[in-house]
Amino acid sequence: MGMGMDEKSPQDQAFRAVAGYWASQTLYAAAKLGVADRIGDDLRTAAEVAKALGAHEPSTLRLLRALVTAGAVRAEGGRYGLTPFGQTLRTGVPGSMRSFFLGVMADDHRRAWASLDQSVKTGETAFDRIFGMPVFDYYASHPEVSADFNDAMTAGSAAVEAAVTAAVDFTSFGRIVDVGGGNGGLLSAILNAAPKSEGVLFDTPSGLAGAKDLIKARGVSGRCEIVPGDFFAEVPGGDLTVLKWILHDWDDRRASAILGNCRKSASPGSRIMIVEVVLPDGDEPSIGRLGDLNMMVMTGGRERSAAEFRALLEAAGYTDVRVLPTRSPFSIIEARAAG
Ligand SMILES: C[S@@+](CC[C@H](N)C(=O)[O-])C[C@H]1O[C@@H](n2cnc3c(N)ncnc32)[C@H](O)[C@@H]1O
């Protein structure tokens, strides 16, 4: 998008930065409309796509061309197909990220992001100020928004399940507890990689709303117990406790309370594995820096460096902390319950 500017000029960078926001909105609209589902593995004209969507044809053509620019669609002789990235906008295909767009770019998230400047000024969580309550309380009383968020988490987790199960051998753990495990996508993948292990999926009732169906569909319902609860009150114990995308939702005080409850129920020698994007030290750029602001506006939590995870874990009574990289942006911070 040169807009007549020198491609490398700072002004061009500014145009591109704003267009990055437009590109995200374009992809979100395509996900909402179900554009990728209408194209599938075929090449379609804009007229065919518009008809299948029941949409305005000239506007559909403009959307498709913007999707070419955003990298999701390819044009071939007046017809449009999906790139590998565009395939992720389809529903129900392996590797689908459509739900991730729908949940994480939904109205609640966008309203919170629109108040980022206020959060920076005041240190307050934008979501709480706008909606009058913390996000997980809001989800508990808004099942449809919560279902979209849970689906987004399932899609986001599915994208890293293979990387997590490739990085760690889970077969030596008898009982594996996923704390805040949502609908159980990651735990199902772990149980499928460890066929003799048993799982405990722990979350709030709203977090677990789709768990029974998903666990059944993944073929592990016979080995996976679903336990509703509150990790600020009590957490079930096991040989391994997994927390993915949990601690980043909370400030240090509350993250310590969750870890303290995990430690309370853990027998000496049992393990804990935290699956998160780990921030680099200092000012080095990382996608985690943007996720950190997502936490600032949505939950009041934060992304953390390896040293920050280590400090939290050691204060909660864990030892032998080590960080295992995976082939995804996520790392596994592993530790042992001190004897
Ligand atoms: C960011 S999501 C991560 C879900 C899942 N671990 C994943 O990575 O896909 C955070 C999860 O924490 C759960 N949660 C929030 N507050 C909780 C509480 N007080 N007790 C138990 N679970 C809670 C939410 O319901 C949600 O499923």
Side-chain angles (χ1 to χ4, degrees), residues 148-214:
D148 282 350
F149 180 76
N150 290 345
D151 287 348
M153 292 303 98
T154 301
S157 274
V160 299
E161 281 164 11
V164 170
T165 52
V168 172
D169 177 4
F170 289 97
T171 55
S172 62
F173 300 107
R175 185 174 146 101
I176 301 172
V177 185
D178 192 347
V179 173
N183 285 341
L186 177 63
L187 184 57
S188 303
I190 291 173
L191 291 178
N192 278 319
K196 294 199 175 128
S197 306
E198 305 221 317
V200 178
L201 182 62
F202 180 78
D203 206 301
T204 61
S206 60
L208 291 167
K212 209 171 149 205
D213 290 345
L214 192 130

Side-chain angles (χ1 to χ4, degrees), residues 136 139 149-150 152-154 156-157 178-183 186 202-204 206-208 229-233 243-246 248-250 275 295 330:
F136 292 114
Y139 289 164
F149 180 76
N150 290 345
M153 292 303 98
T154 301
S157 274
D178 192 347
V179 173
N183 285 341
L186 177 63
F202 180 78
D203 206 301
T204 61
S206 60
L208 291 167
D230 172 5
F231 48 45
F232 293 112
L243 298 117
K244 173 174 169 291
W245 257 352
I246 299 303
H248 81 160
D249 286 335
W250 305 98
V275 185
M295 293 302 108
F330 284 76

Side-chain angles (χ1 to χ4, degrees), residues 35 38-39 43-65 73-81:
V35 170
R38 300 303 188 280
I39 298 176
L43 283 169
R44 301 244 185 249
T45 63
E48 286 168 342
V49 176
K51 189 162 177 237
L53 293 174
H56 182 239
E57 187 183 319
S59 302
T60 304
L61 175 61
R62 290 164 68 186
L63 178 72
L64 287 167
R65 286 178 168 159
V73 164
R74 63 196 165 84
E76 220 177 285
R79 299 197 299 163
Y80 299 90

Side-chain angles (χ1 to χ4, degrees), residues 91-114:
T91 311
V93 293
S96 173
M97 295 295 280
R98 180 172 179 231
S99 306
F100 194 71
F101 274 96
L102 294 180
V104 176
M105 287 193 69
D107 191 50
D108 61 323
H109 280 68
R110 287 190 291 162
R111 284 177 66 191
W113 266 97

Side-chain angles (χ1 to χ4, degrees), residues 176-310:
I176 301 172
V177 185
D178 192 347
V179 173
N183 285 341
L186 177 63
L187 184 57
S188 303
I190 291 173
L191 291 178
N192 278 319
K196 294 199 175 128
S197 306
E198 305 221 317
V200 178
L201 182 62
F202 180 78
D203 206 301
T204 61
S206 60
L208 291 167
K212 209 171 149 205
D213 290 345
L214 192 130
I215 282 169
K216 196 169 167 212
R218 300 274 180 102
V220 293
S221 25
R223 289 188 287 134
C224 188
E225 193 188 345
I226 297 175
V227 179
D230 172 5
F231 48 45
F232 293 112
E234 198 182 3
V235 168
D239 304 303
L240 170 66
T241 302
V242 176
L243 298 117
K244 173 174 169 291
W245 257 352
I246 299 303
L247 297 184
H248 81 160
D249 286 335
W250 305 98
D251 61 17
D252 283 355
R253 186 178 60 81
R254 280 172 291 185
S256 297
I258 297 167
L259 286 178
N261 281 342
C262 292
R263 179 64 190 86
K264 241 185 242 167
S265 65
S267 42
S270 64
R271 307 275 159 159
I272 189 165
M273 290 188 193
I274 295 162
V275 185
E276 295 271 7
V277 172
V278 173
L279 291 179
D281 291 325
D283 297 324
E284 207 182 302
S286 152
I287 195 168
R289 301 285 179 205
L290 301 173
D292 187 44
L293 297 188
N294 192 40
M295 293 302 108
M296 183 189 286
V297 297
M298 287 299 296
T299 64
R302 60 186 312 119
E303 303 293 344
R304 295 181 172 87
S305 67
E308 288 167 332
F309 279 117
R310 179 184 298 275

